[in-house]
Amino acid sequence: MPLSIEHLIVILFTILTFTIILMVVVFIHELGHFLVARKNGVLVEEFGIGMPPRAIGVQRVHSKWHLIKSGQPPVDPTKTIYSLNWLPLGGFVKLYGDGSGGEGGEVNPQYQSLALGSAPVWGRLAIMVAGVFMNVLLAIVIYYTLLVTRGFVSDRLPLLDDVSFRFGKQVDSVGVVSIRAGSPAEKAGIPAESLIHNIRPVTVCPIKTICKESAWQKISKTTDLIDMVMKNGGKPVEIELQKNVLNPELMRITVTPEYNAQEKRAMIGVQLMKYVSFDYSKTITDKLFSGPMHAYNLMSYNLQIQRIIFAASIKAGDPRIAGEAMGGPVAIARVVGDTVNRSGSDMVRNLLSLTALISLSLAFMNILPIPALDGGRVLLLIPEMLTGRKINKKFESYINIGGFVFLIALSVIITFKDVWNLFR
């Protein structure tokens, strides 16, 4: 079936948006490495946007900018090349004397003082963690900006019983997970994944009689909706709901519950889930630190969800459960597409929130003690910090190359899984 023009535009916009988000998040990460490396006297040979091959580059030498074409050597080997590269997959910094990625890390004795290995160990530590710091900082700035615009109340998250949060006042709400086929909810047109805000009995007035409509009752717990339906004795109720957790558009739908003999009560036929948002407006301290507090809450939320998933995978003896929870660039692109399609007037806000979450996730992944990642590089610095002696250069190189190969293999597997899921 051929794609419509509208569908094609959405796909192209999704690809463009995903590329921009990835470029921003990786650029901020590499900018951290770049700035701290420069501060510690380490030469950054190249600061690239996108991945090689190089499309074009520039280099500033003696207050003059020089064009560096693909494959062309630098005008001055002690100055940074700023490049645009053909593959729009983030970016990179190339530190002089750094062989972590298998480049070799050969150092000209003439420029020994500019090499990464010549920087003090605490300077190298700062360089390694700078990218992670910048990603966390980006997330905090975005969250703070979004919270300020909404009175320091966050967006909603689906709440699992085993998940807890440290900061902010929790504000509970209720969402629709699914709708039973043939149910009153389906007949009335209640959308799945909607958020229920309020409910009230439908007021029936005799002709030419003035009567007052029933007051709305706020729904903050699943029992609120169940109790109202039961209390109303199966009579029609009006529900005010939000189209979905991303789209702020409100709608009002009237639904007539039906008696369910098995449950022995009137029902509308929806499966409900708890949602939670965080109110950071209660104190000046909460407002001032709402950005880092919310970043902590979300990172903690994601880690707890992963723990629950992995525990379920182990209990079931099925690694596929945990495998489905892992995603790469293709999975992120799908999330971006879903955000674009479902957000309505809140698309920019939701994309910013997603950017912050991706930035936090990148920070967390990079600080893991896996060779070739920033956390693995930090781990290899610990013996030197404790003893004052550098570890064997060949050993370090083998460890990092092994980690690099492992990460590439894992990326290929995850990407294959994500692509496979696209066509299932």
Side-chain angles (χ1 to χ4, degrees):
M1 186 177 181
L3 293 174
S4 65
I5 296 297
E6 292 80 5
H7 194 193
L8 183 59
I9 290 174
V10 170
I11 291 175
L12 293 175
F13 181 76
T14 297
I15 294 172
L16 177 62
T17 304
F18 165 72
T19 302
I20 292 173
I21 290 175
L22 188 62
M23 297 281 276
V24 168
V25 169
V26 177
F27 171 79
I28 289 295
H29 181 92
E30 300 300 338
L31 180 63
H33 292 312
F34 172 78
L35 293 175
V36 179
R38 292 278 294 267
K39 187 71 175 176
N40 283 274
V42 175
L43 169 64
V44 179
E45 293 186 78
E46 186 170 354
F47 187 162
I49 304 300
M51 299 301 288
R54 183 190 304 161
I56 197 69
V58 293
Q59 188 180 43
R60 185 176 173 85
V61 181
H62 302 307
S63 301
K64 183 179 179 181
W65 289 99
H66 298 266
L67 196 65
I68 309 294
K69 298 179 180 179
S70 179
Q72 182 180 339
V75 174
D76 184 340
T78 66
K79 303 295 182 181
T80 303
I81 295 175
Y82 302 91
S83 65
L84 287 174
N85 297 271
W86 285 114
L87 299 179
L89 299 173
F92 67 96
V93 292
K94 185 179 180 183
L95 304 178
Y96 185 58
D98 179 21
S100 65
E103 302 94 344
E106 295 295 332
V107 175
N108 186 329
Q110 183 181 354
Y111 308 124
Q112 179 67 49
S113 62
L114 299 176
L116 176 64
S118 298
V121 64
W122 292 102
R124 279 175 279 144
L125 174 66
I127 293 170
M128 292 307 117
V129 301
V132 169
F133 173 81
M134 289 292 283
N135 279 133
V136 173
L137 182 62
L138 173 63
I140 288 173
V141 170
I142 291 176
Y143 285 139
Y144 188 80
T145 303
L146 296 177
L147 288 167
V148 166
T149 62
R150 287 281 176 89
F152 293 96
V153 177
S154 74
D155 297 328
R156 294 175 176 84
L157 294 170
L159 182 62
L160 302 180
D161 290 339
D162 291 335
V163 176
S164 60
F165 302 95
R166 183 171 182 179
F167 299 110
K169 181 181 182 295
Q170 293 187 36
V171 181
D172 296 330
S173 54
V174 176
V176 176
V177 178
S178 61
I179 297 174
R180 193 180 70 244
S183 66
E186 184 184 58
K187 295 173 184 175
I190 294 178
E193 301 183 2
S194 57
L195 292 172
I196 299 176
H197 286 242
N198 301 292
I199 188 172
R200 67 181 178 184
V202 173
T203 303
V204 180
C205 300
I207 299 176
K208 297 181 180 180
T209 299
I210 298 177
C211 59
K212 187 177 181 181
E213 289 185 329
S214 301
W216 288 104
Q217 177 183 329
K218 184 175 177 61
I219 301 298
S220 58
K221 303 187 298 293
T222 56
T223 53
D224 292 340
L225 178 65
I226 295 171
D227 291 345
M228 173 59 80
V229 170
M230 292 177 62
K231 180 180 177 181
N232 206 41
K235 296 178 182 178
V237 291
E238 186 178 14
I239 299 176
E240 184 178 60
L241 47 84
Q242 184 177 322
K243 196 168 185 181
N244 60 61
V245 71
L246 297 175
N247 193 331
E249 180 185 343
L250 294 177
M251 57 180 68
R252 293 180 178 180
I253 294 177
T254 299
V255 57
T256 303
E258 294 178 356
Y259 183 78
N260 186 296
Q262 185 177 355
E263 296 291 334
K264 298 181 180 179
R265 61 182 176 89
M267 301 176 67
I268 63 173
V270 294
Q271 182 182 354
L272 303 175
M273 172 180 276
K274 298 178 184 178
Y275 281 78
V276 65
S277 55
F278 308 99
D279 187 347
Y280 302 101
S281 68
K282 299 304 178 184
T283 67
I284 295 295
T285 302
D286 281 354
K287 290 180 179 179
L288 288 175
F289 294 98
S290 57
M293 285 178 174
H294 193 56
Y296 180 94
N297 276 345
L298 285 191
M299 202 67 247
S300 172
Y301 171 80
N302 280 282
L303 291 177
Q304 291 180 75
I305 294 295
Q306 293 295 327
R307 175 181 57 80
I308 291 170
I309 292 172
F310 276 90
S313 181
I314 293 171
K315 185 177 181 179
D318 187 354
R320 290 175 299 178
I321 297 175
E324 286 301 316
M326 301 176 67
V330 176
I332 296 173
R334 290 186 66 180
V335 174
V336 171
D338 187 55
T339 302
V340 169
N341 286 321
R342 298 173 59 206
S343 291
S345 61
D346 260 9
M347 183 172 64
V348 172
R349 177 185 179 83
N350 291 330
L351 288 174
L352 282 172
S353 183
L354 179 60
T355 300
L357 183 58
I358 292 172
S359 190
L360 270 183
S361 299
L362 180 63
F364 175 75
M365 287 299 298
N366 267 279
I367 205 61
L368 292 176
I370 299 174
L373 293 180
D374 295 335
R377 305 291 300 280
V378 169
L379 190 64
L380 291 174
L381 288 175
I382 292 177
E384 184 178 349
M385 287 187 284
L386 295 176
T387 66
R389 297 178 58 184
K390 294 182 179 181
I391 66 172
N392 183 276
K393 195 69 178 176
K394 285 189 176 181
F395 173 76
E396 180 182 7
S397 180
Y398 290 148
I399 289 291
N400 284 320
I401 291 173
F404 183 76
V405 171
F406 167 76
L407 291 173
I408 291 296
L410 183 61
S411 299
V412 170
I413 293 171
I414 291 176
T415 301
F416 177 81
K417 185 265 295 182
D418 290 341
V419 172
W420 176 263
N421 287 339
L422 284 176
F423 297 97
R424 285 173 58 182

